[in-house]
Amino acid sequence: MSKQSDKEKITALYCRLSRDDENDGVSGSIKNQTEILQKYAADNGFKNARLFIDDGWSGTNFDRPAFNEIMKLGEEGKISTLIVKDHSRLGRNRLVVGALMEEEFDRMGIRYIAIMDNIDTKNGISDLVPMQDLFNEWHAKNTSDKVRRVFKSKGESGKPLTTNPPYGYMKNPDNTDEWIIDGPAAEIVRRIFKMCVSGLGPSQIANQLKADKVMTPTEYWDSISRKSSKPPSKPYNWSPAAVSNILSRQEYCGDTVNFRTKTKSFKNKKIIKNPTEDWFIFENTHPAIIDRETFAIVQQLRKHKRRPTRRGITSIFSGVIFCADCKRKLYYHTEYHKTNDPANFTCSSYVIDTDNCTAHYIRERAVKELVLENIQRVFLNIQAYEKEFARKQMDCYTDEKRKELAAKQRELNRIKKRIEEIDNLIIKIYEDNVSGKISDERFTAFSNRYEAEQQELKARIPDLENYLSSETNKSDNLQKFINKVKRITRPNKLTAELVNELIDRIEVHAPRYLDGKRYQMIDIYYKGVGIVNILSPEGFEKSFQKKMAKRRQQKTA
């Protein structure tokens, strides 16, 4: 490339305005900057002036379109002078700005001028410029801190922090802090959740949406003129990640979820995910698209990802079937060389190491038959003898069970009290160590022992609390389960939807042999109620006779 003459080189007039700078009013506007730059260039004889504008870009971010273009032209030797209204327009990161002025501009042969701050690298760089860079950076930090405080206050008040509502919602025209349901998009959201409950994973759901030519969220927003990112180049190109994101959004239950993410600092805008305990969740702030029960089912399914076999087959029991002995998952297999019902399950511990457990081999067909039969009997119990069924379940709450619950509660209280005692003991031995009453070695030994005990105690609390919560609420959970069953028609065929809606887990016991015959038991844990005690045929007969006797008594009364 031939060297470009100075007359042909560009005088770059650079304007930058961030959302924070807009508070400065007219003096900081792009229009005002442009007028000042153009007048300065004309009055001082700068030729071939060209305007570069970054509107809405922070001074801490140097990946700006117009600025990048200037740097690209500078590398090509096409820029002679870079002029800005004031030094802060170049940027508000003292390290980057210092490197640009002292190294990069000099290397590329660019003269830098900041009009209002009387900076011109042709005359050298004043010792005060680094101090000015520091003040510019402080300004950016203080502004960022103010924005964060306002943002935090808004988020803690329950107002949504997202600029755009998630797919399925739109802002209320009368109140932009409120969300209302976007009908067509909400139907797709419901369909995605329904497909997940039916046993399909994100990849399978995405493929189905593609095949049915369903518009992606960005395509849909573009079609209704809602501001969004650029639609995919390939139409209807749903990705598994987009489906997973929809399936994970608690907002579809009607809740506002704030502070999912944060930025590292005012300089580094990298998005970091906050732990769930730092989220602020406000329930029932807008209309729900998905009921909480369906959302809970989907989250449970997502915990146990369903991986298809090499033949692309997924079992309706994947994610809910476990070994009764080691409590690990059962692996699903489909064997090529067998044509008569080849599908089966085997304990994952046994597959990895045969010394860990036994095979617990069971055919999928056998599990289907046992589960369907059990569900049908549960449905018959509830539909025919609801009160008897409920009473039988609650009979499990014997005096022994109540004593067990009381003992668990006492244990929980004791653990919490001991954790507090350990905190006080650690403080005491620290004070004794500082005063010289105990040596550093003794302090370290005591401290390690106490902390280990405390960690062990803390680890036991969640299991105890979950157990007490589930067992204490058994009456309410039982009624919810009964109401759910009454809403469903008695099934003649087992489906993934039915399994996922009713069953929490299935545990398969190791086979036993009696008189040369193989017997195998499974335990079915229903959602919210655990193992259900079903009336036997004799129990049905007894309940029937009792009901008939009651009717005869009423007639003769």
Side-chain angles (χ1 to χ4, degrees):
M1 179 190 286
S2 61
K3 188 175 180 181
Q4 197 166 10
S5 67
D6 289 342
K7 289 183 180 180
E8 295 174 334
K9 286 187 176 183
I10 298 167
T11 298
L13 309 180
Y14 180 63
C15 306
R16 181 188 64 78
L17 184 70
S18 71
R19 285 187 291 272
D20 299 329
D21 294 322
E22 289 172 359
N23 297 326
D24 296 337
V26 176
S27 64
S29 69
I30 292 294
K31 183 175 182 294
N32 181 262
Q33 291 182 54
T34 301
E35 290 174 353
I36 291 172
L37 291 172
Q38 289 176 333
K39 185 175 186 303
Y40 182 88
D43 291 348
N44 291 275
F46 288 98
K47 304 297 182 182
N48 198 18
R50 180 174 160 187
L51 201 61
F52 297 83
I53 299 173
D54 278 322
D55 194 356
W57 290 85
S58 168
T60 59
N61 180 2
F62 286 82
D63 188 16
R64 316 170 208 141
F67 181 75
N68 285 341
E69 187 179 358
I70 291 173
M71 295 301 287
K72 181 176 180 294
L73 292 170
E75 291 287 355
E76 295 171 357
K78 296 179 180 179
I79 302 286
S80 61
T81 309
L82 170 60
I83 307 175
V84 296
K85 170 182 167 282
D86 63 77
H87 191 42
S88 66
R89 295 308 93 201
L90 180 61
R92 293 187 184 274
N93 184 318
R94 59 189 173 85
L95 298 177
V96 178
V97 170
L100 286 170
M101 290 184 63
E102 295 176 16
E103 299 175 16
E104 296 302 306
F105 291 160
D106 183 60
R107 179 179 62 80
M108 292 186 283
I110 296 175
R111 177 184 175 186
Y112 171 71
I113 298 171
I115 300 169
M116 299 300 185
D117 296 307
N118 198 28
I119 296 173
D120 187 341
T121 54
K122 183 181 179 181
N123 304 323
I125 301 174
S126 167
D127 292 339
L128 294 176
V129 172
M131 186 63 69
Q132 192 170 351
D133 290 337
L134 182 61
F135 282 124
N136 286 334
E137 185 174 301
W138 281 348
H139 174 80
K141 184 179 184 302
N142 289 336
T143 302
S144 175
D145 288 342
K146 288 177 185 176
V147 170
R148 283 174 183 265
R149 284 195 293 271
V150 171
F151 195 73
K152 187 172 185 290
S153 177
K154 181 181 178 183
E156 290 176 350
S157 72
K159 293 179 180 177
L161 296 178
T162 52
T163 305
N164 294 312
Y167 178 67
Y169 288 103
M170 63 173 65
K171 289 185 177 180
N172 186 343
D174 299 325
N175 183 353
T176 54
D177 284 329
E178 290 182 359
W179 295 351
I180 57 176
I181 291 177
D182 181 355
E187 280 303 311
I188 301 302
V189 171
R190 293 187 188 100
R191 181 182 173 188
I192 289 171
F193 273 84
K194 187 176 180 182
M195 284 194 284
C196 183
V197 173
S198 74
L200 299 180
S203 296
Q204 294 164 308
I205 294 171
N207 290 336
Q208 188 61 56
L209 295 173
K210 284 181 198 176
D212 295 343
K213 296 187 176 180
V214 175
M215 286 189 288
T216 62
T218 49
E219 285 176 301
Y220 174 72
W221 289 330
D222 188 58
S223 73
I224 60 172
S225 302
R226 171 174 155 178
K227 187 177 179 181
S228 66
S229 57
K230 188 178 179 181
S233 55
K234 186 178 178 182
Y236 319 115
N237 193 24
W238 281 85
S239 68
V243 173
S244 293
N245 180 55
I246 288 173
L247 292 171
S248 68
R249 297 296 292 263
Q250 188 174 334
E251 287 87 342
Y252 292 123
C253 294
D255 302 340
T256 294
V257 183
N258 288 335
F259 306 117
R260 286 179 182 270
T261 60
K262 63 182 177 182
T263 53
K264 199 164 189 180
S265 71
F266 77 101
K267 289 183 182 180
N268 188 342
K269 301 299 182 182
K270 182 180 178 182
I271 302 294
I272 301 171
K273 290 184 178 180
N274 281 325
T276 52
E277 56 265 27
D278 291 343
W279 294 1
F280 275 62
I281 300 174
F282 303 87
E283 295 187 350
N284 305 317
T285 56
H286 51 267
I289 294 175
I290 302 298
D291 64 84
R292 295 187 186 279
E293 188 177 347
T294 300
F295 184 78
I297 290 170
V298 167
Q299 302 322 299
Q300 186 66 24
L301 290 173
R302 298 290 296 131
K303 276 186 190 176
H304 305 289
K305 294 184 179 179
R306 298 164 171 240
R307 293 180 176 86
T309 63
R310 286 178 295 176
R311 298 173 66 185
I313 301 171
T314 305
S315 171
I316 62 174
F317 300 114
S318 293
V320 298
I321 189 163
F322 299 86
C323 173
D325 294 319
C326 71
K327 307 302 181 184
R328 298 284 295 274
K329 288 182 182 178
L330 295 190
Y331 281 164
Y332 182 56
H333 307 278
T334 52
E335 300 172 13
Y336 287 99
H337 62 280
K338 293 184 180 181
T339 58
N340 184 22
D341 189 29
N344 61 79
F345 294 97
T346 308
C347 175
S348 57
S349 291
Y350 175 80
V351 171
I352 295 168
D353 185 350
T354 55
D355 293 332
N356 288 336
C357 198
T358 58
H360 288 70
Y361 174 92
I362 190 169
R363 288 186 181 276
E364 184 185 35
R365 181 177 62 185
V367 180
K368 283 183 177 179
E369 290 172 355
L370 290 169
V371 171
L372 180 59
E373 180 190 2
N374 191 273
I375 289 176
Q376 287 175 334
R377 289 176 64 190
V378 167
F379 271 61
L380 183 59
N381 272 236
I382 291 174
Q383 290 165 357
Y385 301 104
E386 181 182 331
K387 290 182 180 178
E388 282 294 312
F389 175 83
R391 183 193 59 74
K392 189 170 180 63
Q393 306 316 308
M394 294 310 296
D395 279 348
C396 297
Y397 263 53
T398 58
D399 289 340
E400 233 176 83
K401 172 63 75 174
R402 293 187 183 93
K403 287 178 183 177
E404 182 189 351
L405 289 173
K408 294 283 187 185
Q409 185 62 59
R410 285 195 299 271
E411 183 183 0
L412 180 62
N413 294 339
R414 181 185 61 77
I415 287 173
K416 289 182 176 179
K417 184 179 179 182
R418 179 58 181 167
I419 288 171
E420 289 180 10
E421 288 175 355
I422 291 173
D423 283 333
N424 294 328
L425 287 169
I426 290 174
I427 292 171
K428 187 177 185 306
I429 62 171
Y430 173 76
E431 291 172 347
D432 289 345
N433 177 247
V434 172
S435 64
K437 290 182 179 179
I438 64 172
S439 66
D440 290 344
E441 291 78 8
R442 294 283 287 173
F443 169 75
T444 301
F446 281 135
S447 177
N448 290 340
R449 188 189 307 166
Y450 285 142
E451 286 180 0
E453 182 187 355
Q454 194 176 58
Q455 290 301 318
E456 186 180 336
L457 291 171
K458 285 180 177 179
R460 291 168 61 187
I461 288 177
D463 288 339
L464 282 170
E465 288 181 335
N466 290 336
Y467 178 81
L468 286 167
S469 175
S470 62
E471 291 298 319
T472 304
N473 296 331
K474 188 160 186 178
S475 178
D476 291 340
N477 292 338
L478 177 61
Q479 192 56 54
K480 287 178 183 176
F481 178 75
I482 290 172
N483 292 338
K484 185 193 297 184
V485 169
K486 287 164 73 175
R487 291 196 305 266
I488 304 172
T489 306
R490 186 166 176 263
N492 294 315
K493 182 182 178 183
L494 203 60
T495 63
E497 292 95 327
L498 192 65
V499 170
N500 294 330
E501 191 169 355
L502 294 178
I503 295 174
D504 184 43
R505 62 190 285 124
I506 299 167
E507 291 191 355
V508 178
H509 290 264
R512 295 180 181 181
Y513 295 87
L514 184 63
D515 297 331
K517 291 185 178 180
R518 187 178 188 272
Y519 296 90
Q520 195 162 16
M521 291 178 59
I522 67 169
D523 292 329
I524 301 171
Y525 293 81
Y526 289 90
K527 289 185 183 294
V529 294
I531 295 176
V532 170
N533 295 285
I534 303 170
L535 287 171
S536 63
E538 293 78 12
F540 267 114
E541 176 65 22
K542 186 177 179 181
S543 295
F544 177 75
Q545 294 297 341
K546 187 176 179 181
K547 184 181 287 188
M548 294 302 295
K550 190 175 181 180
R551 283 184 182 177
R552 286 194 296 270
Q553 190 177 8
Q554 287 173 346
K555 285 181 180 180
T556 56

